[in-house]
Amino acid sequence: EGRLWIPALEPENLRGRQAFYPTRFLVDGRGVVTYARRLWVKLAYPLDFRDFPLDRHRWKVTVWPVSSRTDEIVFHALRVTGINERLTIQGWHVGEPRAKASTGPRVARAGSFARFDVELPLERNWGYHAWKLGVPLTLIVLMAYGVYFIPASAVPQQIGLGMTSMLTLIAYMLTLGGTLPRIGYLTRADRFFVGSAVLVFLGLVKAVAAIALGQKEGARILDRLTGWGRWVFPVAILANLALAFLF
């Protein structure tokens, strides 16, 4: 009776797995044995989201033998590696996988081990975030910009528009908190949000300045501030976009 030796394999950063269907062995006319098995595997892999929502990643899966070294087992990358045309990764574009077989050391283990790496290029579909996050936030900033076009005599209207813009921005950012990545550093989207908050606050400051400089001796300064803000504010909006998403 013939026996087959099956080496124990494990993916790196394994979190959970489940096997489907009984194990199958396929033997061709040359005596080559193919070990077929379908697995559902849950893995962890660190990603850098500093460029969110314009981020791109190369997600890698590494398979190692549990105990067998290179004198017992080696891997060979075949050209049958592929992916399903319809993946359930919402909001991402997944490229063609690349497989590579090599050898190398393992952490806290002596000797050289075979390794099999499969790399998947991932690119976030940023259009969704641009329409749902960027456009409404830009409209709130433009609403604060309207303070510079209200007559200096209409102080209550300026204060009302500035306060409304600020409160709308705060409520909107609190609503978005559950849709953004929970990480400990700033992303491009965070930088855009912070810049937008500063611009909206400047609109409120202008409304308060209308009260402080509303007297006759300050009317000329207020007019100069209003005229200056009408062309600087749009430039600041464009600068905020450029600093957040281009640099």
Side-chain angles (χ1 to χ4, degrees):
E1 181 182 356
R3 294 185 178 181
L4 293 175
W5 173 68
I6 305 175
L9 306 176
E10 62 178 359
E12 203 170 61
N13 300 324
L14 178 65
R15 294 296 182 267
R17 62 183 175 183
Q18 180 181 356
F20 296 92
Y21 312 131
T23 302
R24 299 178 61 189
F25 296 95
L26 306 177
V27 184
D28 61 13
R30 296 177 299 170
V32 177
V33 179
T34 301
Y35 173 50
R37 194 176 187 188
R38 183 178 180 183
L39 298 173
W40 178 90
V41 181
K42 184 178 181 180
L43 305 173
Y45 189 78
L47 299 176
D48 190 346
F49 292 103
R50 285 182 173 85
D51 287 334
F52 173 85
L54 305 178
D55 47 332
R56 299 180 179 181
H57 308 278
R58 304 197 72 85
W59 190 72
K60 181 185 293 184
V61 179
T62 302
V63 179
W64 298 90
V66 175
S67 58
S68 302
R69 294 179 173 82
T70 53
D71 57 345
E72 296 180 279
I73 180 175
V74 292
F75 294 117
H76 294 279
L78 303 178
R79 295 185 179 180
V80 296
T81 305
I83 59 175
N84 195 318
E85 294 181 357
R86 300 180 63 182
L87 295 178
T88 57
I89 306 180
Q90 297 293 333
W92 290 91
H93 172 71
V94 184
E96 289 295 326
R98 296 182 179 180
K100 178 183 177 181
S102 60
T103 60
R106 296 196 65 178
V107 178
R109 295 192 185 184
S112 179
F113 294 83
R115 61 180 295 169
F116 186 79
D117 300 307
V118 178
E119 194 174 75
L120 283 174
L122 302 176
E123 181 177 356
R124 191 185 299 274
N125 297 327
W126 57 268
Y128 164 80
H129 299 281
W131 284 103
K132 187 172 182 179
L133 309 182
V135 172
L137 192 59
T138 302
L139 294 177
I140 295 174
V141 175
L142 291 176
M143 183 170 64
Y145 178 45
V147 172
Y148 293 91
F149 294 91
I150 298 178
S153 58
V155 175
Q157 287 78 5
Q158 292 190 39
I159 294 293
L161 182 58
M163 287 295 298
T164 301
S165 302
M166 198 68 198
L167 294 176
T168 303
L169 177 68
I170 294 173
Y172 186 67
M173 294 181 69
L174 291 176
T175 303
L176 294 180
T179 63
L180 300 177
R182 297 183 178 180
I183 48 182
Y185 49 84
L186 292 179
T187 65
R188 290 184 179 272
D190 294 325
R191 283 152 48 185
F192 179 66
F193 291 159
V194 172
S196 299
V198 172
L199 292 175
V200 172
F201 181 73
L202 290 178
L204 180 60
V205 169
K206 193 272 175 187
V208 175
I211 301 176
L213 302 175
Q215 306 300 326
K216 293 183 179 180
E217 58 273 11
R220 182 175 300 178
I221 300 177
L222 181 61
D223 291 341
R224 187 178 302 175
L225 178 64
T226 301
W228 179 77
R230 285 182 180 179
W231 68 267
V232 171
F233 202 92
V235 174
I237 294 176
L238 296 178
N240 182 38
L241 284 169
L243 292 174
F245 299 111
L246 297 181
F247 300 100

